[in-house]
Amino acid sequence: MSVATFDILLASLRSGLTFQDTTMRRSISPEERLLLTLRFLATENSFASLHYEYLLGNSAISGIVCHTCQLIWQRLREAVMPTPTADDWLRIADGFYQSSQFPNCIGALDGKHISVKKPPHSGSQYLNFKQYFSIVLLALVDSNYRFIIVDIGAYGSTADARIFCSSRMGERLRANQLALPEPRRLPGSSASAAPFVIVADEGFALSPHVMQTFPRRDLDDRKRIFNYRLSRARRYVECAFGILSNKWRVFLSSLQLSPQNATLVIQACVILHNFTRIHDAPSEPEVAPFPTTTSVGLDHNPQGRPGSAGLAVRELFADYFISREGALSWQLNSIRGTRR
């Protein structure tokens, strides 16, 4: 984080970090409170080690970190991670098409397990399939590695698909309340209009708005190309998690916090990730507008089983990726392992 970005962050939080001096002692300044919190988030230092660096008690450090993290989430969430509008979804889709050549993609979805100490009397609720205790950060990410929507705090033992289905994001998607644009034709195609979709791995259920790869058995070139193209778009969420963990190194070791306080830390890091991407990252390249067409073809709310509707959308994308309009010159070499 640059000095200029720190100053902007401090100005946004100063009023919430300022406390009154008393006759007994002077309050800790906003600058020191923010520096202490950033030091904790950006390193693997414990409260005990920060006690020697800042000459503050462990309980005082804990209170400062949790309060500042909560303030970061409350003050900056609407500024750096606002609720997307239809125009925002279109901008995100244009970004994915420019960077990964996957049209009508409004985000890459995945979950990340954040290691925490075992909460008392929790049994195996937080024990994940990798055999450590965790809470889950479920995130939708754009092509600039920024978080669009997050769900934080689910038990580590819960599968990503179940977390998504029970999350507010999943519920609003099923109820058609995410302000998604109307379906549009894929670039250069005269086939039916395709809905806007989220790309995810095989751990998520296939639906008209959530695409996953074809099963790995009996794959022909058409299916392999679709899987390759989807994976190129899905990598952005994996990269975003990697950037998050390497910048905010508190995630490199287990959080020695209660689940409630661990959730505050994760929320703050997500907001700070977007904040630094906005203020420290180089300016974004100009994205060419996506060609617009009239919406025809697939019903926005298909009838019948959701699985069959999702299959139809996946087949539409698979056909497009091998067509003259949608094929990439290197995709066959890539799936056959003969890239030059």
Side-chain angles (χ1 to χ4, degrees):
M1 180 182 294
S2 66
V3 174
T5 301
F6 175 83
D7 290 339
I8 296 171
L9 179 61
L10 179 61
S12 302
L13 303 176
R14 180 179 290 278
S15 61
L17 296 177
T18 302
F19 292 84
Q20 186 175 1
D21 294 336
T22 69
T23 56
M24 300 295 294
R25 70 182 75 180
R26 297 185 63 182
S27 64
I28 301 171
S29 67
E31 290 83 357
E32 188 171 2
R33 286 174 176 271
L34 184 56
L35 282 170
L36 173 62
T37 302
L38 295 178
R39 179 71 174 175
F40 173 74
L41 299 179
T43 66
E44 297 181 69
N45 287 2
S46 64
F47 291 156
S49 63
L50 291 173
H51 158 70
Y52 293 103
E53 293 182 30
Y54 288 85
L55 302 181
L56 296 171
N58 288 358
S59 60
I61 292 173
S62 175
I64 289 171
V65 168
C66 292
H67 172 261
T68 307
C69 286
Q70 185 176 30
L71 190 67
I72 289 171
W73 174 260
Q74 293 173 346
R75 292 284 181 91
L76 299 178
R77 181 168 59 90
E78 288 300 323
V80 304
M81 197 172 62
T83 302
T85 63
D87 290 338
D88 292 330
W89 291 124
L90 288 172
R91 176 184 53 79
I92 292 168
D94 292 342
F96 270 103
Y97 183 60
Q98 288 291 110
S99 61
S100 64
Q101 293 76 53
F102 198 108
N104 285 23
C105 176
I106 56 170
L109 177 70
D110 204 1
K112 176 178 176 59
H113 288 268
I114 307 296
S115 178
V116 297
K117 71 174 182 179
K118 181 183 182 298
H121 314 297
S122 62
S124 60
Q125 285 181 320
Y126 292 89
L127 185 64
N128 63 33
F129 67 99
K130 296 180 179 179
Q131 300 302 305
Y132 64 86
F133 297 96
S134 65
I135 58 178
V136 179
L137 163 61
L138 184 74
L140 186 68
V141 173
D142 67 13
S143 61
N144 292 311
Y145 310 106
R146 295 180 193 165
F147 295 104
I148 307 169
I149 304 174
V150 295
D151 183 90
I152 303 169
Y155 297 137
S157 60
T158 310
D160 288 348
R162 178 174 293 183
I163 297 171
F164 177 67
C165 287
S166 61
S167 68
R168 189 181 177 198
M169 172 172 44
E171 292 173 351
R172 293 182 65 193
L173 181 63
R174 290 193 301 274
N176 195 26
Q177 295 176 349
L178 280 183
L180 297 184
E182 290 295 315
R184 64 183 179 186
R185 288 194 179 110
L186 302 178
S189 173
S190 59
S192 300
F196 287 83
V197 298
I198 294 168
V199 295
D201 61 22
E202 59 274 11
F204 294 87
L206 182 68
S207 73
H209 291 293
V210 179
M211 291 289 100
Q212 59 158 246
T213 56
F214 283 101
R216 297 182 183 181
R217 61 184 181 276
D218 301 326
L219 289 176
D220 55 18
D221 281 352
R222 173 176 168 275
K223 293 180 179 179
R224 290 179 186 276
I225 287 172
F226 175 85
N227 289 357
Y228 167 69
R229 298 285 290 272
L230 185 141
S231 297
R232 294 184 76 245
R234 200 185 68 81
R235 64 192 167 127
Y236 285 94
V237 67
E238 302 286 356
C239 292
F241 286 149
I243 295 169
L244 178 74
S245 296
N246 280 280
K247 180 176 284 287
W248 308 107
R249 302 177 72 84
V250 67
F251 296 130
L252 297 184
S253 58
S254 181
L255 296 179
Q256 302 300 304
L257 302 168
S258 67
Q260 294 75 22
N261 289 340
T263 298
L264 293 177
V265 167
I266 299 168
Q267 288 175 338
C269 288
V270 165
I271 295 302
L272 291 171
H273 170 91
N274 280 11
F275 189 85
T276 54
R277 294 293 302 173
I278 292 170
H279 292 282
D280 284 346
S283 58
E284 300 174 11
E286 188 70 23
V287 176
F290 193 102
T292 58
T293 59
T294 304
S295 171
V296 296
L298 288 175
D299 188 358
H300 197 55
N301 294 298
Q303 300 297 319
R305 296 187 303 113
S308 62
L311 289 170
V313 174
R314 184 167 66 180
E315 294 294 330
L316 178 62
F317 277 96
D319 290 337
Y320 173 74
F321 290 149
I322 62 171
S323 68
R324 183 168 54 87
E325 296 82 7
L328 300 177
S329 59
W330 66 84
Q331 62 188 21
L332 273 176
N333 290 336
S334 296
I335 65 169
R336 294 172 178 173
T338 56
R339 179 184 290 180
R340 296 178 181 176

